[in-house]
Amino acid sequence: MAAVLGSVIGIERERLSWAAGLRTHMLVSVGSALIMIVSAFGFADVLKGEHVVLDPSRMAAQVVSGIGFLGAGSILLRGEIVRGLTTAASLWSVAAIGLAVGGGMYTVAIAATIIILIVLAGIKPIEQRFIRARQQRRLMLLVERGALTFHSLHDVLGTTSSRVKQFVMQQSDDAPECDEVHITLHRVSEPEYVVLREQLRHLPGVKALREDSAQPEREV
């Protein structure tokens, strides 16, 4: 049961091509269940002795802290963006599911699996539509021909360039000697957006800057 419930969560992570996918989640769940079973029933012979008192929860507690090294291994830092926190949390949750199965709490384990799956697969579209969409901004820059490239933009913005999700350049119809550069920024708060906008406005060769409501057609 621990393997099955862990695989349900693992499949959701696997479809997104995360390093911690199907097999990792299954192994974490099965391992946690085994540790819980050993902790609860593996010392029955020892307990028959006089004046012997054991705490079966101590081994289970070590799973909660020990799973941290797997979670840390799934977290990646790219520029200023941290990726993998959700996968790390799912590994931690799967370990708890395994402990519940090992303790014989099947109903709780199944209910937790359903809730975790809803959070991972069901909440994400809502998050993308109502939260992340508000953190995306599109700008159109009118620049002199050849004055701005993605590499020069990266050099100017530094680590902040990680906020640039899309960079599209095309020839301007109104000013043949200029290029139109469409930039999509993501995961930016209002203060960050104001700073980035001013940085872009003062780039060499930029003649005009405005918010762009149109979706660029091609990426460069």
Side-chain angles (χ1 to χ4, degrees), residues 185-198:
L185 304 171
H186 76 130
R187 301 184 72 88
V188 290
S189 62
E190 186 62 31
E192 290 175 328
Y193 172 65
V194 173
V195 174
L196 285 171
R197 186 177 59 191
E198 290 305 308

Side-chain angles (χ1 to χ4, degrees), residues 29-39 59 98 102:
S29 185
V30 171
S32 300
L34 178 59
I35 292 174
M36 188 65 180
I37 292 172
V38 172
S39 181
M59 288 186 64

Side-chain angles (χ1 to χ4, degrees), residues 24-76:
T24 304
H25 282 76
M26 292 177 69
L27 289 173
V28 168
S29 185
V30 171
S32 300
L34 178 59
I35 292 174
M36 188 65 180
I37 292 172
V38 172
S39 181
F41 308 108
F43 306 99
D45 295 338
V46 179
L47 290 173
K48 294 178 181 179
E50 295 183 1
H51 309 296
V52 176
V53 179
L54 296 178
D55 181 6
S57 67
R58 295 186 65 178
M59 288 186 64
Q62 298 308 309
V63 174
V64 178
S65 58
I67 198 65
F69 84 94
L70 277 179
S74 67
I75 298 174
L76 301 174

